[in-house]
Amino acid sequence: MFAIAARLMGLMLLVVSLVGFSLPASAFGNDAQFEAKVLQVLRDHPETIIQSLQAYQQKQRQEQQKRQQAFLEEMKANPKAVIGSSPTKGAATQDIVLVLFSDFQCPYCATVRETLKQFMLEHGDRVTLVYKNLPLTEIHQQALPAAFSAWAAGQQGKFWEYYEALFAQQKSLGEPLYQATAKAFGLDMERFERDRSSDAAGIALGKDIEMARTLAIEGTPFLVMNGEAIPGAVELADLEAVFKKVSASNTLQ
């Protein structure tokens, strides 16, 4: 979608500039004439169109990189602002913050969940794990309902238990599982239903998704540890390497 929009925008800018500067106002005529002139410009200058699109896309990438870098720097300087009201576990000190962007229906996220278990078992006294929702709704129909249900469970202090249960039964995601899991954890079902369909739930997930957009995240899982981005189904050794780097940096500070 973004690529198409970028091409259209670049094309529009190019056509307007070429037509605007090469023709007098009286030359535009009616809509049919204007359309014919525009099409002729496109035929006569295909290489300029490509150059315009490339320049536009390059500018967009540079702006995105600036926003991403600003976010990563903010995470280092003020981790609490990044954490917000998201679920956390591990160290309360928040000196080393590991943010996880995840989708409950993503099979790679289920794999990373096991890796994170091992990592937090070893470093949970120093690392604060933060969960952020990034439901890939175009390919995972249950990603959003699962995220809302887990958020609602979190309002009753059971997010991480619910998180574990959904990933453990990922192939069974659906309304029967959401209901049964909530009941199994002894949740107030009226509140659970109310919370998962509330405006507050939508706002919370919207903030997570907007944060993911700032980071230009295109898939899940995606982790960030104290400003160090770790995309994809990361291995334990990779997490350990980043942890070592971040720990050394904290010691120097």
Side-chain angles (χ1 to χ4, degrees), residues 89-91 98 113-127 129 164 236 239-240 243:
K89 66 186 303 185
L98 177 58
R113 159 180 161 262
E114 294 299 329
T115 302
L116 286 172
K117 271 187 180 179
Q118 298 177 57
F119 180 78
M120 292 301 292
L121 188 63
E122 181 68 24
H123 304 293
D125 60 330
R126 295 190 60 197
V127 176
L129 178 62
E164 292 290 346
L236 182 59
L239 272 180
E240 292 286 359
F243 174 73

Side-chain angles (χ1 to χ4, degrees), residues 16 20 48 85 89 105 120 124 140 144 155 179-180 184 198-199 204 209 218 223-224 227 236 243:
V16 169
T48 310
S85 59
K89 66 186 303 185
Q105 201 171 355
M120 292 301 292
H140 295 150
L144 195 58
Q155 301 312 292
Q179 292 277 342
S198 66
D199 290 342
I209 293 168
E218 297 180 350
L223 296 110
V224 187
L236 182 59
F243 174 73

Side-chain angles (χ1 to χ4, degrees), residues 123-253:
H123 304 293
D125 60 330
R126 295 190 60 197
V127 176
T128 305
L129 178 62
V130 184
Y131 188 89
K132 299 285 185 181
N133 289 285
L134 184 54
L136 306 179
T137 55
E138 292 184 359
I139 57 175
H140 295 150
Q141 292 184 344
Q142 288 298 322
L144 195 58
F148 279 130
S149 298
W151 186 88
Q155 301 312 292
Q156 298 187 50
K158 294 291 183 179
F159 173 82
W160 292 106
E161 292 87 344
Y162 205 92
Y163 156 96
E164 292 290 346
L166 292 190
F167 274 121
Q169 303 176 75
Q170 192 178 60
K171 293 182 179 179
S172 301
L173 290 178
E175 193 57 27
L177 177 61
Y178 307 145
Q179 292 277 342
T181 304
K183 290 176 181 177
F185 290 136
L187 301 185
D188 179 329
M189 294 305 294
E190 287 189 11
R191 182 182 175 187
F192 176 75
E193 293 297 342
R194 184 172 64 250
D195 283 342
R196 67 177 176 154
S197 60
S198 66
D199 290 342
I203 291 170
L205 265 67
K207 288 180 178 179
D208 289 354
I209 293 168
E210 185 59 33
M211 188 176 291
R213 286 176 180 163
T214 300
L215 283 166
I217 299 173
E218 297 180 350
T220 55
F222 192 99
L223 296 110
V224 187
M225 188 187 301
N226 277 33
E228 297 287 335
I230 319 168
V234 62
E235 299 287 341
L236 182 59
D238 299 321
L239 272 180
E240 292 286 359
V242 177
F243 174 73
K244 184 177 180 180
K245 178 181 178 181
V246 168
S247 297
S249 177
N250 281 9
T251 300
L252 292 175
Q253 293 176 3

